[in-house]
Amino acid sequence: MPVSSSGERAPLRLTRRGRAVLVAFAAACTLAALWLDGGSGAFAGGRAQHHRPSGHVRSTVVEPGDTLWRIATDCDPGADPRVTVQRIIDLNGLGGDPTVQPGQQLVLPG
């Protein structure tokens, strides 16, 4: 950094291009932080909408031989089972291991 004759440092001056790069870098850092923080709930179809109760809450106990697919088709026969399975996984926090065991109680989408 340039030093004046009195020993003080000259103020930092950015060109128009330098300011643009600095703003772009700050915006990219902010977006990356929001993405890593799990900001998917802010978008349509994000997880946040699945955690809100929609009226009454239904639940079921997993029986021997039951699968999430069967539970989803019984829960909402007219809907796409893939969507219902994902909603059950989200509602019950089964994201890491979506395996169900007999006797396990599951919250079903309303």
Side-chain angles (χ1 to χ4, degrees):
M1 182 174 273
V3 178
S4 67
S5 60
S6 64
E8 295 178 15
R9 292 184 176 194
L12 179 65
R13 296 181 65 198
L14 290 176
T15 63
R16 173 183 265 178
R17 184 178 185 182
R19 285 190 301 269
V21 168
L22 188 63
V23 168
F25 179 73
C29 288
T30 302
L31 289 174
L34 289 173
W35 179 72
L36 290 173
D37 188 39
S40 64
F43 300 107
R47 286 186 172 187
Q49 88 180 79
H50 297 301
H51 292 291
R52 281 184 270 127
S54 58
H56 66 289
V57 175
R58 298 185 312 168
S59 64
T60 188
V61 176
V62 178
E63 300 293 329
D66 275 351
T67 62
L68 281 176
W69 191 269
R70 181 184 297 171
I71 293 169
T73 55
D74 290 345
C75 168
D76 195 356
D80 183 356
R82 296 171 294 188
V83 174
T84 308
V85 165
Q86 187 60 52
R87 291 183 67 204
I88 293 171
I89 288 171
D90 291 344
L91 283 171
N92 293 280
L94 303 174
D97 182 19
T99 307
V100 292
Q101 302 296 325
Q104 182 177 0
Q105 185 166 354
L106 295 176
V107 177
L108 301 176

